Amino acid sequence: MGTAALSSGNLTAYDRRILRTVNAGASSLSFLGSSFIVLCYLLFRDLRKFSFKLVFYLAISDMLCSFFSIVGDPSTGFLCYAQGYSTHFFCIASFLWTTTIAFTLHRTVVKHKTDVEDMEAMFHLYVWGTSLVMTVIRSMGNDHRHLGGAWCSTPTGRTKKAYHFITFYVPLWGAILYNGFTYFKVIRMLNNATRMAEGMSDRASDGRLDMKALNRWGYYPLILIGSWTFGTLNVIHDLIEPGHKIFWLSVLDVGTAALMGLFNSIAYGLNSSVRRAISERLDLFCPERLQRWLPANTAKSSSTGQESELVSLKVQDEH
């Protein structure tokens, strides 16, 4: 993450040390958040449905992307290759998995198809295959050397930086546009269906409650936008004025990009199904007196009124 920010440029050794610290701290939070979602999927059998399986794959990608970012500043050689290309690979895989979630929701809600689970192999081929191709293309002509930053295989020269922009930021913003358009169509259709249901029923409050949960989907594309806007601006500036770094932009670039895994784990992973599964385990192991002070108790009670953010996928989960 933040390869443009972590290259040397005109930054001092103190500036680079701050960037490495920000990168390590934010990546650690993302690693912990993603690991928590992976652990929940492995421990709770109730979560092992296709809808949450996609979130599980997303969390694995975020976890590995964060891990290789935390490695930081390895010596030249194999570790340098592993850090640079592995981070590039798994960060691409992360935002590609978000497009499979958007596609699944659209196909289920808008097109009323129940065959999405049969496409799992295609999803893997699409995500891992595209990530591999983009990583290989980026490696072409790169000068594999340690440049004193917290990132290896940092592109130098306009041509190599252009390779990095094309193989990462172009598919990234393509994914953002696809997710935004898809969620807009899904939410619009559900809003129309809810209004029709309210016209034929007196349970309007229940419809508004459900739509409050469903409308959260509209925020999902904002995660990628918030995580990578500063990185995009930074790499464009680096293409225009190579060697001249803007320190505050580099800090925002590194910090927000490294937090992508944490944002994804909160938005996609900490839904009502996960909170309910945790609450049920707490009921078994925690004394009743202690449970009153735990937020999971609140999550359990509220979950009866709201389904998971991926509630619409329950159609294929039942098949």
Side-chain angles (χ1 to χ4, degrees):
M1 299 179 205
T3 55
L6 293 172
S7 58
S8 297
N10 63 324
L11 299 179
T12 65
Y14 178 74
D15 292 338
R16 294 196 297 273
R17 188 160 58 248
I18 292 177
L19 292 176
R20 285 196 295 270
T21 302
V22 172
N23 177 65
S27 296
S28 297
L29 292 176
S30 290
F31 180 81
L32 292 175
S34 304
S35 300
F36 175 76
I37 300 303
V38 171
L39 188 62
C40 286
Y41 180 85
L42 296 176
L43 292 179
F44 303 144
R45 291 183 177 272
D46 295 343
L47 298 177
R48 297 179 190 177
K49 300 178 180 180
F50 183 71
S51 56
F52 199 76
K53 186 183 292 186
L54 297 179
V55 178
F56 169 68
Y57 295 142
L58 169 63
I60 287 180
S61 299
D62 283 330
M63 183 178 68
L64 293 174
C65 176
S66 300
F67 171 77
F68 285 107
S69 295
I70 295 170
V71 170
D73 200 16
S75 60
T76 56
F78 175 77
L79 288 179
C80 192
Y81 290 106
Q83 187 208 14
Y85 292 133
S86 297
T87 308
H88 191 264
F89 176 88
F90 287 111
C91 285
I92 292 177
S94 173
F95 65 72
L96 290 181
W97 277 118
T98 67
T99 64
T100 67
I101 295 174
F103 172 84
T104 300
L105 287 171
H106 180 269
R107 189 167 180 83
T108 305
V109 176
V110 178
K111 294 191 174 182
H112 305 290
K113 301 290 186 179
T114 59
D115 60 346
V116 185
E117 191 168 353
D118 298 331
M119 299 181 177
E120 182 177 351
M122 294 179 59
F123 287 166
H124 282 287
L125 180 62
Y126 155 68
V127 172
W128 306 122
T130 303
S131 301
L132 179 61
V133 169
M134 293 296 103
T135 303
V136 170
I137 293 176
R138 186 203 164 182
S139 69
M140 294 179 180
N142 264 4
D143 183 12
H144 307 294
R145 57 180 177 176
H146 181 51
L147 298 175
W151 193 284
C152 285
S153 299
T154 302
T156 57
R158 277 197 173 94
T159 301
K160 299 183 181 76
K161 291 174 183 177
Y163 267 101
H164 174 60
F165 183 82
I166 293 172
T167 59
F168 187 87
Y169 288 96
V170 170
L172 167 68
W173 284 97
I176 291 173
L177 292 175
Y178 174 79
N179 288 352
F181 178 73
T182 301
Y183 283 120
F184 171 77
K185 293 183 66 175
V186 171
I187 293 171
R188 184 179 62 178
M189 179 174 180
L190 290 173
N191 272 316
N192 293 336
T194 300
R195 282 195 295 268
M196 292 179 61
E198 289 176 356
M200 296 182 292
S201 173
D202 58 354
R203 299 180 62 187
S205 60
D206 291 342
R208 285 194 296 269
L209 184 61
D210 291 340
M211 287 311 302
K212 183 178 180 181
L214 299 177
N215 283 332
R216 293 181 62 184
W217 292 340
Y219 295 104
Y220 290 170
L222 297 180
I223 295 174
L224 291 178
I225 294 175
S227 297
W228 295 106
T229 294
F230 294 111
T232 305
L233 294 175
N234 203 21
V235 75
I236 292 175
H237 175 269
D238 204 30
L239 285 170
I240 298 174
E241 296 187 41
H244 178 69
K245 296 291 183 183
I246 302 176
F247 178 67
W248 63 267
L249 183 59
S250 297
V251 171
L252 292 174
D253 173 7
V254 172
T256 55
L259 287 173
M260 179 181 65
L262 178 64
F263 296 152
N264 283 336
S265 63
I266 294 173
Y268 289 94
L270 291 181
N271 52 48
S272 61
S273 298
V274 175
R275 296 194 299 269
R276 183 164 55 249
I278 296 175
S279 179
E280 290 172 353
R281 282 5 177 237
L282 291 175
D283 286 343
L284 295 176
F285 299 106
C286 292
E288 184 178 351
R289 188 181 307 172
L290 178 61
Q291 291 180 29
R292 292 198 299 266
W293 300 96
L294 295 175
N297 229 25
T298 303
K300 180 182 178 181
S301 61
S302 64
S303 66
T304 60
Q306 294 183 7
E307 289 295 327
S308 163
E309 284 78 357
L310 301 180
V311 62
S312 65
L313 301 185
K314 66 184 179 182
V315 176
Q316 62 263 37
D317 288 337
E318 294 171 355
H319 286 73

